Amino acid sequence: MTALFAKAKSVLMKDPYTGHLYVLFNSRRNSIKCLFWDGTRFVLLCKRLDEGFLCKIKTIHKNEVMLTTAEFALSFEGVDPQEEIY
């Protein structure tokens, strides 16, 4: 968790105590870690896929992406938010 806190501060230049959800994917896109401050303590949420990849968020921004709750939920489940869903 200390590494996620440091990345939120140094790479994203954000204050981890804001209550925002900070989402970090590993370079292989088979693991995701989420960090947020709930007002009393930090909460850490992790997911690692045994096979396949988490979708890559397509963005024009280099370091920061803002997702809606629905977009995050789709990404966390492995669905590409850019694809049409029937």
Side-chain angles (χ1 to χ4, degrees), residues 9-35:
K9 252 185 118 95
S10 65
V11 175
L12 298 176
M13 306 293 244
K14 300 292 181 180
D15 180 8
Y17 291 100
T18 60
H20 289 96
L21 178 69
Y22 296 95
V23 179
L24 297 121
F25 295 89
N26 68 349
S27 60
R28 293 181 305 259
R29 290 189 359 256
N30 67 349
S31 177
I32 183 174
K33 292 182 182 175
C34 307
L35 177 73

Side-chain angles (χ1 to χ4, degrees), residues 56-74:
K56 185 171 185 169
I57 304 297
K58 297 176 182 100
T59 179
I60 59 173
H61 305 290
K62 285 192 176 247
N63 293 324
E64 183 177 342
V65 178
M66 295 183 72
L67 300 175
T68 65
T69 304
E71 289 171 329
F72 169 75
L74 289 171

Side-chain angles (χ1 to χ4, degrees), residues 29-85:
R29 290 189 359 256
N30 67 349
S31 177
I32 183 174
K33 292 182 182 175
C34 307
L35 177 73
F36 76 95
W37 175 255
D38 72 357
T40 60
R41 303 230 190 297
F42 278 104
V43 176
L44 179 64
L45 177 66
C46 303
K47 185 173 190 175
R48 180 177 300 255
L49 300 178
D50 291 331
E51 57 185 46
F53 302 97
L54 295 158
C55 72
K56 185 171 185 169
I57 304 297
K58 297 176 182 100
T59 179
I60 59 173
H61 305 290
K62 285 192 176 247
N63 293 324
E64 183 177 342
V65 178
M66 295 183 72
L67 300 175
T68 65
T69 304
E71 289 171 329
F72 169 75
L74 289 171
S75 297
F76 194 75
E77 291 302 320
V79 177
D80 187 344
Q82 304 296 322
E83 289 182 12
E84 291 186 33
I85 301 171

